[in-house]
Structure formats: C-alpha cells, structure tokens
Amino acid sequence: MSVTKTGKKARDVMHEGVQCIGEHETLRVAAEIMADLGVGALPICGDDDRLKGMITDRDIVIMCCAHGKDIDRTTAGELARGLVWVDADASLEEALFSMEEHHIKRLPVVARHRLVGIISEADLAKELPDTKLAEFVHRVYALD
C-alpha cells in the first residue's frame, strides 16, 4: 500500500481504554463482554497482564459452537491465535502494512510490553483519505 507519509505513530491513531479478557475466562464471559461493549473482538491477556492473542465473535461461533464445544468450559486462551501487534511508536504506515499482511481488521498496540490500545478500521477511517481506506479494505479482505 502506498500511504502518504503522515508522520503519525500507532499511538496517535489507536483508541485507548481497551478491555482484555483473561486467558482463563470462558467464551461465554468473552461473548458477554463483547455484547456489553458492542465490539466484535477482544484482546486476550494472561495472568502476567501481557497480550496473548485476540478473539473475535466469529472465532467463538466457528471454533467453539460449530464444533460442539461447551461455551461455558472452553477458555479464551484455548482460542488465542495469531499474536500480531505493533509497537506504540511504530509509524502508521508500519501498522497498515502489518494489518494488510496478516489480513486483520484490528491491531493491538503495545508499549513497554503492555497493551495500550487498538487500531481498528474505524480509527483508520478518521486518518486515511477515502481512496487509501478503500485500498486498505480491499487488501485486508482479499484472499491469498
């Protein structure tokens, strides 16, 4: 993606106040938190308060419900997958590249080994010109 250099860092674009789900919490708790917050994804944090992965509402449906697993016994940590994140001081361009490369719509932002925020499509919509946002969306949703 050829993004015009904005000079902005991940921390300038992210939204703060991200709530984690504990790795030992059940998927029912994860789903309830998502419903309460009106979000479709949650970062998974370990007992050490460090990022372990991300879980989406789709993960719960596809990897748990569709396979007959018990939503009250399966933990968020069991579905933790693909730990992709960006440093808070990384450029916006680096964040976009990572999101495109991994085909993800939400990118955790980490500073000093701690989750400090997330960059989402909505955050990008505020920062990118419409043509660049459309190009990003096309690349993230494109199949390999």
Side-chain angles (χ1 to χ4, degrees), residues 45-107:
C45 292
D47 295 335
D48 58 0
D49 199 32
R50 296 207 179 185
L51 184 64
K52 301 296 182 191
M54 291 284 291
I55 187 169
T56 67
D57 48 6
R58 185 174 191 277
D59 293 335
I60 294 171
V61 171
I62 302 292
M63 297 167 66
C64 181
C65 299
H67 288 105
K69 293 184 179 179
D70 187 344
I71 194 168
D72 291 309
R73 292 180 187 238
T74 307
T75 65
E78 290 176 57
L79 297 190
R81 60 177 177 79
L83 184 56
V84 177
W85 55 273
V86 68
D87 188 89
D89 290 321
S91 69
L92 173 57
E93 294 76 22
E94 289 174 74
L96 286 169
F97 178 79
S98 183
M99 293 171 84
E100 288 178 359
E101 179 180 34
H102 298 284
H103 297 276
I104 56 175
K105 298 176 274 183
R106 301 164 193 96
L107 182 64

Side-chain angles (χ1 to χ4, degrees), residues 23-40:
E23 65 183 329
H24 302 294
E25 293 289 342
T26 67
L27 296 184
R28 180 172 307 279
V29 171
E32 289 169 353
I33 292 171
M34 287 181 199
D36 289 346
L37 297 175
V39 298

